[in-house]
Amino acid sequence: MIVKTPPMGWNSWNTFGHDINEQLIFEIADIMADEGYLQAGYEYLVVDDCWQEMVRDRNGRLVPDRKKFPNGMKAVADYVHSKGLKFGIYSCAGQLTCEGFPGSYEHEFIDAATFAEWGVDFLKYDFCFKPKGADTACLYRRMGMALANCGRDILFSGCSWGAEETRKWAKTTGAHMWRCTGDMVDSGASIKDHAYQVDRDLKYSAMGSYADFDMMVVGMYDKGNVSSGGATTAAYKSHFTFWSHLGSPLMIGADLRNISKECKDILLNSDVIAINQDPAFWQPYEIGQIGTWNPKGNPVYCKLLASGELAIGIYNFYDDEASLSTPLDRIGLNMSTGKTLEMTEVWTGEKEIVHNGVHSTKIAPWDCKLYRCKIVDLQYGEL
Ligand code: GLA
């Protein structure tokens, strides 16, 4: 299975943790299909940890929790599929999952076969309770092989939290996406912390095997399983923009039944999603190193798009307004080329042309700007 752009979907963990059941999944499926999420690209509906019974059946197969999922997982998958969505499930490379349910260690092939039989399309594969001495990369490779041979296309989402330099071996495992950081919680600090970590992973992220910055907390406002103070709407907007611009998979974690209009609009912004899903998947590069132009070292990234345009994002994960400048020679577009940028800010639609080789702007606390830029002739007359 080849996955040509970063996967998009919804995952139960951030809001619901243990508190999942068939009815909830059906309701989320209805909303994803009926309220624009599926159309925007969010196609995977993923049930995270805590869907299982504590013991396997006598044939060694995983058993869905009989109270939460009384009709089994095939019935859930069938419903999700009937809505045009794809169905995801969770297991773990260790002996137990992070919440203590049976893991897939030494059951990789039987579990992959079971998932295929149920109609699963996506497996998130966690990293708790690894037996001492087991080789991490080999455990992920084993499940990668099991999935690639189970007779069904199942997207493999490795979740080893960036541990043991995941980036260096993730692409040997068959993982279509791989977590490069620890768990997000719902706070501005966690958004910032993740945003500042992922630079080291970008050069390992590639079409078909994407660095996953973790499920998003956009719209949670301190409600749910990973609540930790919540964040402002501006911070959620920057979070979504950063994940999109830098090519992370986009997995929603909020309760879609109760999301605010502002955050729904953030998650459904098709211009931002188009940059995430750009078919070339060229690597973004940092152009905002600390210096006189950018005193605090706010992240500024540029990415070449398949159309020849550039996507430039400027992020302010601070409580003060940022006033910063980006010389275009940092992106390689020196004035000697006779070219400059016509920039359209994707959230506001505002257009501007850079005339003097330097783009300058102010960004409100925790806000960001994301520009789609056309390379145009420099008009010397206007200098
Ligand atoms: C780990 C993962 C989370 C979530 C939980 C479930 O912490 O990183 O994303 O899946 O386990 O127990």
Side-chain angles (χ1 to χ4, degrees):
M1 179 186 188
I2 301 168
V3 179
K4 291 191 179 146
T5 55
M8 296 172 64
W10 179 90
N11 176 298
S12 61
W13 181 253
N14 279 1
T15 295
F16 297 99
H18 280 252
D19 197 10
I20 49 174
N21 57 58
E22 182 187 87
Q23 188 54 35
L24 169 74
I25 300 308
F26 290 0
E27 286 172 24
I28 297 288
D30 291 348
I31 292 172
M32 288 177 76
D34 300 341
E35 294 192 14
Y37 294 95
L38 174 59
Q39 267 170 312
Y42 298 98
E43 58 177 339
Y44 288 98
L45 192 170
V46 182
V47 176
D48 206 280
D49 203 354
C50 311
W51 61 267
Q52 319 85 330
E53 284 287 341
M54 280 295 182
V55 284
R56 290 173 177 270
D57 72 10
R58 65 169 67 127
N59 300 315
R61 286 160 56 110
L62 289 166
V63 181
D65 184 300
R66 293 186 181 86
K67 286 210 184 76
K68 297 174 179 171
F69 297 101
N71 301 301
M73 280 305 176
K74 173 124 189 5
V76 180
D78 286 349
Y79 188 83
V80 168
H81 291 151
S82 77
K83 292 280 159 177
L85 296 156
K86 293 180 175 159
F87 179 57
I89 210 165
Y90 162 103
S91 193
C92 185
Q95 284 157 323
L96 300 174
T97 73
C98 295
E99 294 298 308
F101 296 91
S104 289
Y105 178 69
E106 292 190 333
H107 292 81
E108 292 84 358
F109 282 85
I110 189 171
D111 288 354
T114 306
F115 298 147
E117 206 176 289
W118 290 346
V120 167
D121 307 296
F122 179 114
L123 177 68
K124 173 172 169 183
Y125 204 50
D126 215 341
F127 191 47
C128 286
F129 296 101
K130 182 183 81 138
K132 265 211 175 79
D135 182 287
T136 301
C138 279
L139 292 188
Y140 279 87
R141 288 178 193 138
R142 206 188 288 170
M143 185 48 99
M145 291 177 221
L147 291 174
N149 288 280
C150 73
R152 186 176 171 87
D153 278 345
I154 300 186
L155 189 153
F156 185 24
S157 165
C159 177
S160 56
W161 321 317
E164 300 182 29
E165 299 187 298
T166 302
R167 59 188 169 277
K168 297 197 175 157
W169 48 265
K171 292 208 287 288
T172 69
T173 67
H176 301 99
M177 57 193 262
W178 40 275
R179 276 274 296 279
C180 60
T181 59
D183 286 11
M184 287 283 292
V185 291
D186 180 22
S187 71
S190 182
I191 293 169
K192 176 177 184 171
D193 176 56
H194 277 65
Y196 274 88
Q197 275 182 61
V198 298
D199 191 67
R200 64 176 181 222
D201 300 293
L202 297 176
K203 62 176 167 293
Y204 298 92
S205 187
M207 188 185 294
S209 188
Y210 306 92
D212 171 13
F213 309 173
D214 200 3
M215 291 134 3
M216 298 182 288
V217 295
V218 176
M220 291 186 66
Y221 292 109
D222 205 23
K223 290 208 189 78
N225 185 43
V226 301
S227 76
S228 186
T232 60
T233 306
Y236 288 141
K237 173 188 159 195
S238 297
H239 168 26
F240 177 71
T241 308
F242 192 92
W243 265 231
S244 297
H245 181 203
L246 273 69
S248 176
L250 299 175
M251 302 300 290
I252 301 172
D255 182 355
L256 296 180
R257 301 169 311 175
N258 295 305
I259 195 162
S260 70
K261 165 91 174 69
E262 289 86 353
C263 285
K264 183 174 176 185
D265 289 347
I266 289 172
L267 291 168
L268 295 181
N269 185 308
S270 55
D271 295 327
V272 180
I273 292 174
I275 288 172
N276 179 259
Q277 299 286 304
D278 187 70
F281 201 74
W282 278 314
Q283 187 192 317
Y285 51 104
E286 169 75 275
I287 51 172
Q289 289 91 335
I290 294 189
T292 42
W293 299 109
N294 181 359
K296 284 195 175 155
N298 288 70
V300 184
Y301 280 91
C302 180
K303 159 170 139 160
L304 180 61
L305 302 174
S307 62
E309 293 163 292
L310 299 171
I312 296 181
I314 308 178
Y315 300 89
N316 183 15
F317 297 111
Y318 291 96
D319 294 333
D320 314 314
E321 183 182 73
S323 184
L324 48 87
S325 300
T326 308
L328 298 196
D329 57 11
R330 293 294 279 273
I331 63 170
L333 202 66
N334 300 43
M335 286 178 83
S336 59
T337 57
K339 300 287 177 184
T340 190
L341 295 182
E342 181 190 292
M343 305 171 72
T344 307
E345 209 282 313
V346 298
W347 289 103
T348 58
E350 276 165 31
K351 272 194 198 316
E352 58 186 296
I353 294 186
V354 180
H355 291 299
N356 60 356
V358 179
H359 171 260
S360 297
T361 192
K362 289 187 191 322
I363 314 232
W366 288 92
D367 207 348
C368 67
K369 291 188 178 172
L370 177 61
Y371 299 92
R372 193 178 253 276
C373 310
K374 281 198 170 71
I375 297 177
V376 296
D377 291 338
L378 189 57
Q379 302 292 317
Y380 287 99
E382 292 178 43
L383 275 177

